[in-house]
Amino acid sequence: MAPIALTVETINPNLVKAEYAVRGEIVNIAKKMQLDLAEGKGVYPFQKILMCNIGNPQVLGQKPLTYYRQVVVLCEYPQILEVPEAAASFPQDAKDLAASLLSKIPGGVGAYSESAGAPVLRQMVASAIAERDGHPSDWQDVFLTSGASPAVHHIMNTLIRKGARDGFLVPIPQYPLYSASLALYGGELVPYYLDESAGWSMSVPHMKAQLVAARAAGTEVRAVVIINPGNPTGQCLDVDNQREVVQFCKDEGLVIIADEVYQSNVYAEGKSFASFKKVVCDMGLKGEVALVSLHSISKGFTGECGRRGGYMELTGFSEGVKAQVNKLASIHLCPNLSGQICVALMSNPPKPGSPSYEVYAKEKCDILASLRRRAVRMVAALNELEGVSCNDAEGAMYAFPRITVPQKACDAAAALGKKPDWLYCRELLAETGIVVVPGSGFGQEEGTQHFRTTFLPSEDDIGLAIDSLTRFHKSFLANPAQIQGYLDLVVVSLLWGLYNPLLKIVYTQDNPLDPATLTAIRTLLSAAALGIAAALKAKGESGAAAAAAAAGGDEAAAAEAEALMGISASGSGAAAGEQASAPGAIGSSVPFVQREAAGKGGLLAYAFTGVVPAGIELGLYNFCGTALQATGLQYVSATRAGFLVQLTAVLVPVLSALAGERIPPAVWGAVGLGLVGSCLVAYDGIAGVALEDILAGGGPEELKGTAILCAACVFYSLAVIRLGMYAPRFNSIDLTAVKKVSLASISLVWLGTGLQASGLDDVLSSLGGRSAGLWAIIALSALGPGAGATFLQTRGQSAVPATSAQVIYSLTPLWGALAASVLLGDEAMGGWAWCGGALVLAASVLAALGQRGKGQAEAVEAADKMKI
């Protein structure tokens, strides 16, 4: 067999070494999710992927500028003007400019231009540079490129010599184009750190120290990269700082590479952009400092990323060096003509009084004003989060917050061979669909963690993104809300422990209620209590929100009012964590890796697309499980029933497998352990009964009750699995409300059936003949293990991971046994039951830990599969 011609080991090692985090592992995983969503293959806790990883405005809804598109269309297809109706839709200045450009570009946009760009377009750009800076610009110093990135490659190729240890001073954090390009061309990155505590400012003494150290280590530092406004940091340099840098570069003989693609994106009051070309010329150093100035149509308010247009202006370069750069450009033939035209349009927009000016000016103003609002809103929201600090986004399109990652998360990331901020960003993607870039991809000071996010989502989407990020962050960090969440869930476990003993008391009464009627009454009482609480809460919040909106009188206040009233398309958080709400049943929310795998064609992989049928389905499972549990309690002791219902925890993985999930071996081991334990609990109730009696149907009622309780566990497990699929898809308030209405409706139907069968008088007589004490116990079972536990569970699981919640819930049978001994007194279990109960508890904990281990393993597996 012939050897494989190419492997990763035999290609250019510099290419393998290069990394570009902006489109790295996490983005590749997000693209897989996006494809799944488009094809209906995956079930995720979000409805769309929000790409906040890269400055790509139009993919997030920014509209292109009308004037630019009109001129480009006329250059691409001038024949359209032969159609009178079409010609009338173009303003005269756009038609005149397109005609002028076509007359001066030989062959039009379909022919090669000069390698440095069409002369007429370079002249237009040079004229705009001169107007901006107040200093002349020679059009032959301007090289048009297909975006700013090729210009960086040209300069790297020009300055980095084969076999030499050439290096560049690069800011940290930096745009990874620079680190990747240096790796590709064999250069060395010499970091200089921006001062986060001083608004990401540059320190020339620090740069000097880094330069000296690099030279002492044998690196020939040839250039300094400066990104202004900053990416990813968003700072905007003041002129005094720029002057210091220029003088430093002159003194040290360094080339300045000024990345100025965000020069139109300056938002901070009192800040303005000054080009390094202007600073150099103002200092009288033109010709004494080598300067490369970069700009692009991808950023600013233009956002034409896909057209790939940019330029570099070379100042202070000799004619011989410029000739070599031009030769390098000629190897690539020429930049695309549509991109070149857009660069010229960006540099020469419509002038006041021209037909296109008013539309252009309004579009520009609207885009920049919206970007400023979104920048302020995003930074403010980030600074509200615990353990997060974020400098103001003075310019550019990004926020770069510093985050505090809990030690447990740091340890988990280390175990995966990843950085802590990678784990944070990966979990953020899995839970919210928001794609951000780990700070480690840009470089950061040792011991700090960051991430970069754009604020480019539309003003509608930015609020949803902030809400989702906030909910995720609260659940990711250990905080006071989480402590309260743990306390809530402990109380939930205690309340659920009361359920079986309370119902057992009801069944010890003379002429007890039948299980279905009892379930219906409890469900109605619980739903009524939750409904009243929700109505009171909504009334108070809507009043506060309306007052805030009236006081603010703007769209932001109205949006806050809507958020307070629960009008949101995002459905995660509390409801996503809500379990089957069955007293004594163990919940298990489906981890993100399970949601990704869902939809593979498993028996239970189907899903309703509307919130109403989904809520009805959940309500039906809940009612059946609760009714069966109540029925089983007629025949089984409350303590034994508590351990048997714990079987839900190990049935969830079994049903997950039927839903198309891949269950890890450790969880299957927990399933087996739980089944053995349940059999021992059941055996304890029938010990001493002859096998032939059992087979003949003459066994004790304990066996019948055990079978009924196991059936209840199946419905509880179905509720858990289906909730894990539906909660991410639908608004949490809507889903919970439909579920409760469904439960109440089923209960009313059941009661109505009883009325029809027995007659109203008989039913009322039966209900009215009960003691007040009995009704108090029924009410307590509805309001404590029912409504109260549901409320506390929803609140608690909004802050506590599902795995931890499941471990807490595993204590329910122990609380139940304690409550039974206090309330019932004579309940006793044999040794087999206690041994079996211990195995069931151990199995539920192992199942939880096994699912979490699966989540970590599959996260790494998914990332590894999508590495470039």
Side-chain angles (χ1 to χ4, degrees):
M1 182 176 178
I4 298 174
L6 282 179
T7 67
V8 173
E9 290 74 22
T10 61
I11 64 174
N12 183 351
N14 289 345
L15 174 59
V16 178
K17 181 181 175 183
E19 294 185 2
Y20 189 63
V22 171
R23 292 195 174 188
E25 289 178 274
I26 289 177
V27 177
N28 289 328
I29 296 170
K31 289 178 180 177
K32 167 65 167 55
M33 292 178 171
Q34 199 168 41
L35 185 63
D36 284 349
L37 289 170
E39 296 179 352
K41 289 183 179 179
V43 179
Y44 298 98
F46 42 82
Q47 295 178 340
K48 66 177 179 179
I49 296 291
L50 204 57
M51 289 289 190
C52 296
N53 61 300
I54 194 167
N56 193 9
Q58 292 186 20
V59 80
L60 291 170
Q62 180 174 309
K63 301 299 182 185
L65 295 173
T66 302
Y67 179 70
Y68 293 5
R69 289 297 178 93
Q70 289 173 333
V71 175
V72 170
V73 165
L74 292 173
C75 289
E76 293 276 359
Y77 188 60
Q79 293 83 355
I80 196 172
L81 294 179
E82 297 172 7
V83 181
E85 295 83 357
S89 67
F90 291 91
Q92 191 60 46
D93 55 346
K95 290 188 281 189
D96 292 344
L97 179 58
S100 175
L101 293 178
L102 289 176
S103 69
K104 298 174 183 177
I105 300 175
V109 297
Y112 288 134
S113 71
E114 291 191 5
S115 297
V120 61
L121 302 175
R122 294 163 66 194
Q123 291 164 8
M124 292 174 67
V125 171
S127 174
I129 293 172
E131 183 178 349
R132 180 196 67 190
D133 294 336
H135 296 281
S137 174
D138 186 340
W139 69 270
Q140 297 194 67
D141 292 341
V142 174
F143 291 72
L144 299 181
T145 54
S146 293
S149 298
V152 172
H153 286 279
H154 287 343
I155 295 304
M156 295 278 187
N157 233 340
T158 301
L159 295 182
I160 297 175
R161 298 163 295 181
K162 184 177 181 180
R165 292 187 56 191
D166 291 333
F168 284 33
L169 275 165
V170 177
I172 299 297
Q174 52 100 27
Y175 180 48
L177 166 67
Y178 295 99
S179 56
S181 299
L182 282 168
L184 190 61
Y185 294 109
E188 295 186 18
L189 187 151
V190 180
Y192 68 90
Y193 291 89
L194 303 178
D195 187 352
E196 184 172 10
S197 64
W200 299 111
S201 63
M202 294 174 63
S203 168
V204 171
H206 168 66
M207 296 171 70
K208 173 80 171 178
Q210 293 294 94
L211 174 66
V212 170
R215 285 174 173 170
T219 300
E220 181 67 30
V221 181
R222 312 209 68 199
V224 176
V225 174
I226 301 161
I227 307 173
N228 181 43
N231 175 13
T233 49
Q235 88 284 6
C236 190
L237 299 178
D238 59 49
V239 172
D240 288 340
N241 202 181
Q242 290 177 268
R243 286 175 175 270
E244 287 183 281
V245 172
V246 169
Q247 189 62 51
F248 164 68
C249 291
K250 175 184 180 298
D251 295 342
E252 300 295 340
L254 301 175
V255 177
I256 299 174
I257 301 175
D259 185 333
E260 299 173 335
V261 301
Y262 297 100
Q263 60 188 259
S264 297
N265 300 103
V266 179
Y267 316 115
E269 295 292 337
K271 289 283 188 176
S272 60
F273 170 79
S275 73
F276 269 90
K277 166 76 177 297
K278 175 176 173 57
V279 172
V280 166
C281 292
D282 286 350
M283 293 175 69
L285 296 178
K286 184 178 181 181
E288 298 181 45
V289 176
L291 168 67
V292 182
S293 301
L294 308 176
H295 199 9
S296 167
I297 62 172
S298 299
K299 311 306 177 185
F301 53 90
T302 305
E304 292 282 6
C305 303
R307 291 195 179 276
R308 309 308 301 133
Y311 73 77
M312 64 177 175
E313 182 188 24
L314 305 183
T315 306
F317 281 66
S318 69
E319 292 301 321
V321 172
K322 284 192 290 185
Q324 295 302 313
V325 174
N326 188 66
K327 179 172 66 177
L328 186 59
S330 69
I331 295 173
H332 298 271
L333 296 178
C334 74
N336 78 83
L337 262 298
S338 292
Q340 291 187 48
I341 289 170
C342 278
V343 173
L345 294 172
M346 174 186 69
S347 304
N348 295 267
K351 299 294 189 287
S354 65
S356 298
Y357 178 75
E358 288 188 10
V359 172
Y360 168 83
K362 183 180 187 306
E363 290 174 342
K364 173 185 175 181
C365 180
D366 288 348
I367 291 171
L368 291 177
S370 177
L371 282 171
R372 183 181 185 280
R373 288 193 298 271
R374 285 176 273 168
V376 171
R377 190 174 179 187
M378 176 64 80
V379 171
L382 289 167
N383 281 321
E384 287 292 319
L385 300 179
E386 180 187 357
V388 175
S389 61
C390 186
N391 284 316
D392 288 343
E394 298 176 346
M397 296 175 171
Y398 316 100
F400 196 65
R402 180 172 179 171
I403 58 175
T404 302
V405 179
Q407 186 58 47
K408 286 181 66 176
C410 293
D411 294 342
L416 300 174
K418 302 293 182 181
K419 299 291 186 181
D421 51 11
W422 181 93
L423 180 64
Y424 183 96
C425 296
R426 177 62 181 87
E427 292 293 295
L428 175 65
L429 168 63
E431 293 299 324
T432 67
I434 298 173
V435 187
V436 298
V437 187
S440 49
F442 299 91
Q444 55 196 352
E445 285 197 47
E446 188 68 29
T448 66
Q449 311 294 335
H450 299 79
F451 67 85
R452 188 191 80 167
T453 178
T454 70
F455 38 81
L456 291 175
S458 69
E459 298 205 54
D460 290 335
D461 283 345
I462 198 79
L464 298 177
I466 289 171
D467 289 345
S468 296
L469 173 60
T470 300
R471 281 195 300 272
F472 164 78
H473 186 79
K474 287 179 179 179
S475 68
F476 188 85
L477 295 185
N479 53 38
Q482 194 170 54
I483 295 173
Q484 179 64 53
Y486 279 108
L487 293 175
D488 285 343
L489 296 185
V490 170
V491 175
V492 168
S493 181
L494 287 167
L495 290 173
W496 281 353
L498 284 172
Y499 177 77
N500 289 334
L502 289 175
L503 262 63
K504 200 67 180 176
I505 292 174
V506 174
Y507 289 136
T508 60
Q509 307 299 309
D510 293 332
N511 189 28
L513 291 172
D514 67 273
T517 302
L518 176 61
T519 300
I521 293 172
R522 286 188 64 259
T523 300
L524 289 172
L525 288 173
S526 177
L530 289 172
I532 292 170
L536 292 174
K537 183 174 183 288
K539 181 178 179 181
E541 289 180 341
S542 62
D554 60 9
E555 293 181 3
E560 291 173 2
E562 289 183 347
L564 285 170
M565 295 169 68
I567 304 172
S568 170
S570 176
S572 56
E578 183 186 350
Q579 310 302 332
S581 299
I586 299 302
S588 173
S589 71
V590 183
F592 71 82
V593 289
Q594 291 183 315
R595 290 194 292 264
E596 289 177 22
K600 294 180 180 177
L603 183 61
L604 297 178
Y606 72 91
F608 290 116
T609 57
V611 68
V612 172
I616 292 174
E617 181 188 8
L618 294 176
L620 181 62
Y621 292 147
N622 229 143
F623 183 88
C624 292
T626 307
L628 287 169
Q629 185 178 356
T631 303
L633 272 167
Q634 288 183 300
Y635 313 110
V636 177
S637 69
T639 303
R640 185 174 284 108
F643 284 107
L644 287 172
V645 173
Q646 190 78 5
L647 183 62
T648 301
V650 293
L651 283 180
V652 165
V654 176
L655 295 179
S656 294
L658 294 178
E661 308 301 339
R662 188 177 66 186
I663 307 302
V667 177
W668 282 123
V671 170
L673 192 64
L675 292 175
V676 171
S678 300
C679 289
L680 290 177
V681 174
Y683 173 77
D684 186 77
I686 60 173
V689 180
L691 178 61
E692 56 269 20
D693 290 339
I694 295 175
L695 295 176
E701 291 186 330
E702 186 88 24
L703 183 60
K704 178 181 179 181
T706 298
I708 294 173
L709 287 171
C710 289
C713 291
V714 173
F715 282 102
Y716 287 153
S717 301
L718 284 170
V720 169
I721 296 296
R722 304 302 284 169
L723 182 62
M725 297 177 70
Y726 287 134
R729 291 189 172 195
F730 305 116
N731 179 278
S732 58
I733 295 174
D734 294 344
L735 185 62
T736 303
V738 174
K739 175 186 168 185
K740 291 302 179 185
V741 169
S742 172
L743 275 167
S745 300
I746 296 170
S747 301
L748 286 172
V749 169
W750 188 270
L751 287 177
T753 303
L755 287 173
Q756 186 177 13
S758 304
L760 179 60
D761 291 339
D762 290 343
V763 172
L764 292 178
S765 175
S766 173
L767 297 178
R770 316 289 172 173
S771 67
L774 180 63
W775 284 115
I777 291 173
I778 294 173
L780 178 60
S781 72
L783 301 179
T790 297
F791 169 75
L792 291 174
Q793 184 189 24
T794 301
R795 187 174 72 176
Q797 285 202 211
S798 67
V800 176
T803 302
S804 301
Q806 184 170 318
V807 173
I808 294 172
Y809 296 153
S810 68
L811 299 174
T812 298
L814 299 179
W815 304 132
L818 179 62
S821 66
V822 173
L823 298 176
L824 301 173
D826 59 349
E827 284 215 328
M829 292 202 310
W832 288 113
W834 283 112
C835 288
L839 291 178
V840 171
L841 292 181
S844 65
V845 173
L846 288 175
L849 298 177
Q851 291 287 16
R852 181 168 66 178
K854 177 197 173 192
Q856 294 175 346
E858 289 197 12
V860 175
E861 180 183 349
D864 289 341
K865 284 182 178 179
M866 295 182 215
K867 281 184 180 178
I868 297 178

